[in-house]
């Protein structure tokens, strides 16, 4: 019997396995965001331990932000090798299990005060997230049959888990650190990751049919990544492009430093692999869908490059130029970071239901349309930041109302692109490369984070008003451009979303459904 033919136990109209993955991801995100919230503060804290939090590393802000930037990028870029390992060696289910175990070890090591433990712990967290993050998302897609309209809503529910973990972490970890110190905060992150691991192991009975290794050694079309790289030397066009990108990487090494050079070389290797996968795909339909998927990642990078100003430029603006007085109480800057997660929990299922109903009515509701519209909506959030900057220039302060409205629009835009993109990948990616493509998506997210930092740094030269206005105009133009070319892009998907329908109700009414 094929996996898709297995009858799944359901809860609230969704497979029970979704809630197992929901809780696993929630605790993993709690551990990640909880530790991330402490990282820069711990690195820049005095080595003397002058308050209840204890001694920090005593680094300068520049040193701490440099390591933080590389760490947050590598966490996502590691999703590419994590996806490759799942596709060819372990399968998604075992990769998630191994990643969760490594994460528990990483957070456990961070409890120690030695500097070697600090670096080792960060390295283990990067490896653990790289194995867990892309593969658990791919497993969510595996819970649904091809054409099941519930898939997008399932990803939105899963996305609530991500943000619930983030919300709980930002509310609780700071209190723990204030009372018991930095390493108690790191320890709490490890404890909740253990909860995630226990939940995942317990829920295996609901995940028997998803995330298993799909390699078929008898399939003549099955090919290893090593063989793909070997064929690169027999493919002149792909080889020339790879050589040119390698030369650019070497120049970047000398101009920007070894860190950027290694990153460029890694991205060159992944680009070469993607070109060879495209060339080796069996049919033109698969090739076209693969191409559309790669083009959609452009929207992902642009979206996160703008959205992640929340943790950088907007955060600094909140701290220094916003009137945070609320009925005589000064609202802490950090609390504004919870608005995004809170809005997602409030609106995620509503937004997903809106798109599902619109789809059933025959109106435009393709993933590409949602993603393009998401960029535009998020872009209009910066309109409120423009108003805030204008108010500051006029009066020397700005209302927090502008920030709340900006975060609201950013959240609605995020709900139109992020869970949708996760679902879109599971629809278009070839099954044997599903985890790799999910890894590429998260790497694109990481690159967006890096772009956000570069854009935010330019505010010191051009000013917030100019930066906020530029982001607004650029995102609206890019989103509009993708809407203009929507029809040809949809043709390249070869109707993968046009067959979506309410399979659950059809099954209940006695329709016979073909296996995938």
């Amino acid at each position: 019997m094929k996996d898709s033919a297995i009858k799944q136990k359901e809860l609230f109209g969704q497979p029970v396995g979704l809630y197992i993955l929901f809780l696993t991801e929630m605790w993993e995100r709690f551990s990640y965001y909880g530790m991330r919230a402490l990282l820069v503060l711990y690195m820049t804290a005095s080595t003397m331990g002058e308050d209840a939090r204890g001694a920090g590393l005593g680094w300068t802000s520049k040193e701490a932000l440099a390591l933080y930037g590389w760490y947050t990028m590598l966490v996502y870029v590691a999703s590419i090798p994590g996806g490759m390992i799942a596709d060819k060696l372990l399968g998604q289910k075992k990769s998630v299990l191994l990643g969760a175990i490594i994460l528990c070890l990483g957070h456990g090591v961070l409890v120690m005060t030695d500097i070697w433990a600090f670096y080792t712990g960060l390295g283990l967290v990067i490896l653990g997230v790289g194995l867990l993050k892309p593969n658990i998302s791919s497993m969510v897609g595996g819970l649904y049959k091809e054409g099941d309209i519930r898939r997008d809503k399932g990803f939105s529910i899963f996305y609530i888990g991500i943000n619930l973990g983030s919300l709980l972490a930002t509310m609780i970890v700071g209190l723990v650190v204030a009372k018991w110190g930095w390493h108690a905060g790191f320890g709490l992150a490890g404890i909740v990751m253990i909860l995630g691991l226990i939940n995942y192991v317990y829920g295996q009975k609901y995940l028997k049919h998803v995330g298993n290794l799909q390699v078929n050694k008898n399939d003549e079309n099955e090919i290893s990544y090593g063989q793909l790289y070997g064929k690169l030397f027999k493919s002149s066009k792909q080889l020339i492009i790879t050589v040119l990108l390698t030369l650019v990487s070497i120049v970047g090494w000398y101009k920007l430093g070894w860190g950027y050079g290694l990153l460029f070389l890694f991205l060159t290797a992944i680009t070469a692999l993607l070109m060879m996968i495209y060339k080796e795909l069996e049919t033109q339909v698969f090739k076209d869908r693969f191409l559309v998927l790669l083009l959609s990642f452009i929207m992902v990078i642009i979206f996160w490059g703008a959205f992640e100003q929340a943790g950088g430029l907007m955060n600094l603006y909140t701290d220094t130029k916003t009137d945070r007085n609320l009925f005589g109480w000064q609202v802490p800057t950090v609390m504004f970071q919870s608005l995004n997660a809170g809005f997602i929990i409030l609106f995620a299922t509503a937004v997903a239901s809106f798109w599902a109903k619109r789809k059933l009515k025959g109106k435009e509701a393709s993933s590409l349309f949602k993603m393009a519209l998401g960029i535009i909506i998020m872009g209009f959030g910066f309109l409120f930041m423009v108003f805030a900057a204008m108010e500051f220039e006029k009066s020397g302060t700005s209302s927090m109302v502008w920030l709340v409205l900006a975060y609201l629009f950013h959240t609605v835009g995020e709900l139109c692109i992020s869970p949708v993109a996760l679902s879109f990948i599971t629809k278009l990616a070839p099954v044997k490369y599903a985890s790799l493509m999910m890894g590429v998506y998260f790497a694109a997210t990481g690159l967006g984070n890096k772009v956000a930092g570069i854009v935010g740094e330019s505010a010191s030269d051009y000013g917030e008003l100019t930066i906020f206005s530029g982001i607004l105009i650029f995102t609206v133009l890019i989103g509009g451009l993708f809407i203009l070319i929507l029809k040809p892009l949809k043709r390249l998907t070869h109707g993968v979303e046009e067959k979506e329908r309410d399979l659950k109700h059809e099954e209940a009414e006695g329709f016979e459904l073909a296996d995938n």
Side-chain angles (χ1 to χ4, degrees):
M1 180 179 291
K2 293 184 179 182
D3 288 348
S4 59
I6 296 175
K7 183 68 176 178
Q8 299 184 66
K9 187 175 180 180
E10 293 186 354
L11 179 65
F12 304 124
Q14 296 285 346
V16 173
L18 173 66
Y19 302 101
I20 298 298
L21 299 177
F22 171 102
L23 290 171
T24 303
E25 180 72 349
M26 183 187 79
W27 291 124
E28 185 275 329
R29 288 290 89 183
F30 184 111
S31 69
Y32 172 74
Y33 283 111
M35 190 276 288
R36 194 185 76 165
L38 306 179
L39 199 54
V40 170
L41 297 176
Y42 171 66
M43 288 187 285
T44 56
S46 169
T47 57
M48 300 301 294
E50 298 170 350
D51 55 31
R53 296 176 300 181
L57 297 181
W59 293 8
T60 66
S61 296
K62 185 176 181 180
E63 290 170 334
L65 288 171
L67 186 139
Y68 175 80
W70 282 108
Y71 167 74
T72 53
M73 174 186 274
L74 288 174
V75 159
Y76 287 108
V77 170
S79 295
I80 293 180
M84 295 168 72
I85 289 170
D87 283 336
K88 297 299 183 181
L89 294 176
L90 298 179
Q92 297 156 2
K93 188 154 50 183
K94 290 181 180 178
S95 294
V96 171
L97 178 62
L98 180 59
I101 293 171
I102 293 174
L103 277 169
C104 291
L105 292 173
H107 289 299
V109 171
L110 283 169
V111 175
M112 304 182 207
T113 58
D114 301 292
I115 191 65
W116 70 264
F118 178 70
Y119 287 117
T120 302
L122 290 184
L124 289 171
V125 171
I126 289 170
L127 292 175
V129 174
L131 279 167
L132 186 147
K133 192 80 176 122
N135 296 310
I136 197 170
S137 299
S138 297
M139 287 178 68
V140 173
L143 294 169
Y144 302 93
K145 296 177 181 178
E146 183 179 348
D148 192 338
I149 200 170
R150 296 180 301 161
R151 183 192 298 251
D152 282 2
K153 189 170 184 178
F155 269 101
S156 292
I157 293 172
F158 178 71
Y159 206 67
I160 290 175
I162 294 173
N163 288 276
L164 184 57
S166 171
L167 182 63
L168 291 172
T170 53
M171 292 174 63
I172 296 173
V173 171
L175 297 176
V176 170
V177 170
K179 187 170 180 63
W180 291 292
W182 298 112
H183 295 281
F186 292 137
L188 177 61
I191 291 171
V192 297
M193 191 59 239
I194 292 173
L195 292 177
L197 176 60
I198 293 171
N199 166 78
Y200 184 69
V201 172
Y202 168 78
Q204 288 300 295
K205 58 187 176 182
Y206 301 110
L207 301 169
K208 291 180 180 179
H209 65 294
V210 294
N212 300 306
L213 188 61
Q214 297 292 324
V215 174
N216 182 359
K217 294 181 179 179
N218 296 321
D219 185 356
E220 60 181 15
N221 293 318
E222 189 66 42
I223 186 170
S224 69
Y225 291 125
Q227 289 173 315
L228 284 172
Y229 279 119
K231 289 188 175 185
L232 176 65
F233 296 97
K234 301 176 183 177
S235 307
S236 57
K237 292 181 181 178
Q238 289 80 2
L239 182 60
I240 291 172
I241 294 173
T242 303
V243 170
L244 290 175
L245 290 175
T246 302
L247 292 175
V248 171
S249 301
I250 293 172
V251 172
W253 186 303
Y254 285 103
K255 293 287 186 180
L256 302 175
W258 65 269
Y260 279 101
L262 288 176
L263 174 64
F264 294 158
L265 287 172
F266 175 76
L267 294 177
T268 296
I270 297 303
T271 301
L273 180 62
L274 294 176
M275 288 190 296
M276 294 310 300
I277 289 175
Y278 176 83
K279 183 178 179 182
E280 294 297 318
L281 290 174
E282 295 88 352
T283 68
Q284 190 61 43
V285 171
F286 287 152
K287 289 178 184 289
D288 290 344
R289 289 176 176 175
F290 192 77
L291 183 60
V292 172
L293 200 54
L294 293 179
L295 289 173
S296 72
F297 290 157
I298 296 175
M299 287 193 280
V300 171
I301 294 173
I302 292 171
F303 177 87
W304 291 109
F307 181 91
E308 285 298 328
Q309 297 305 319
L313 182 58
M314 286 176 63
N315 205 22
L316 292 172
Y317 187 90
T318 303
D319 192 53
T320 58
K321 298 183 178 180
T322 300
D323 179 7
R324 294 179 280 115
N325 188 286
L326 183 65
F327 304 117
W329 177 57
Q330 186 83 344
V331 181
T333 301
V334 176
M335 287 195 68
F336 286 91
Q337 296 295 303
S338 299
L339 285 172
N340 174 242
F343 282 144
I344 283 177
I345 293 168
L346 288 174
F347 298 121
T349 53
V351 171
S353 296
F354 166 80
W355 286 116
K357 291 176 182 177
R358 183 178 171 87
K359 178 78 174 180
L360 292 173
K361 290 178 182 178
K363 297 180 179 180
E364 179 60 62
S366 64
S367 293
L368 290 166
F369 179 73
K370 295 177 196 175
M371 293 167 71
L373 189 63
I375 291 178
I376 294 173
I377 294 172
M378 184 272 300
F380 271 108
F382 282 96
L383 178 62
F384 299 108
M385 294 309 300
V386 169
F387 292 155
M390 292 172 64
E391 182 181 355
F392 179 82
E393 289 190 353
K394 182 181 295 186
S395 62
T397 187
S398 64
S399 171
M400 71 175 79
V401 172
W402 300 124
L403 279 168
V404 175
L405 290 171
Y407 279 116
L408 175 60
F409 272 69
H410 287 183
T411 300
V412 175
E414 181 182 359
L415 288 171
C416 289
I417 192 169
S418 193
V420 172
L422 293 174
S423 179
F424 193 52
I425 293 166
T426 65
K427 296 172 186 176
L428 264 68
V431 174
K432 58 185 177 182
Y433 300 120
S435 294
L436 169 64
M437 295 312 298
M438 192 66 74
V440 173
Y441 163 78
F442 285 115
T445 300
L447 291 174
N449 289 349
K450 196 67 175 176
V451 170
I454 295 171
V455 172
E457 289 172 15
S458 64
S460 59
D461 297 323
Y462 300 103
E464 289 94 347
L465 179 58
T466 301
I467 298 300
F468 291 146
S469 300
I471 294 174
L472 165 64
I473 294 170
F474 183 71
T475 50
V476 171
L477 287 176
I478 292 296
L481 176 62
F482 272 93
I483 289 177
L484 287 176
I485 61 173
L486 183 63
K487 286 185 177 180
L489 287 178
K490 285 177 64 177
R491 281 198 294 270
L492 290 175
T493 67
H494 294 275
V496 72
E497 294 184 310
E498 293 174 5
K499 296 179 288 184
E500 287 183 332
R501 57 201 187 278
D502 194 337
L503 296 182
K504 184 172 181 289
H505 286 170
E506 289 186 9
E507 287 179 324
E509 294 171 7
F511 284 88
E512 185 176 347
L513 297 174
D515 291 342
N516 291 341

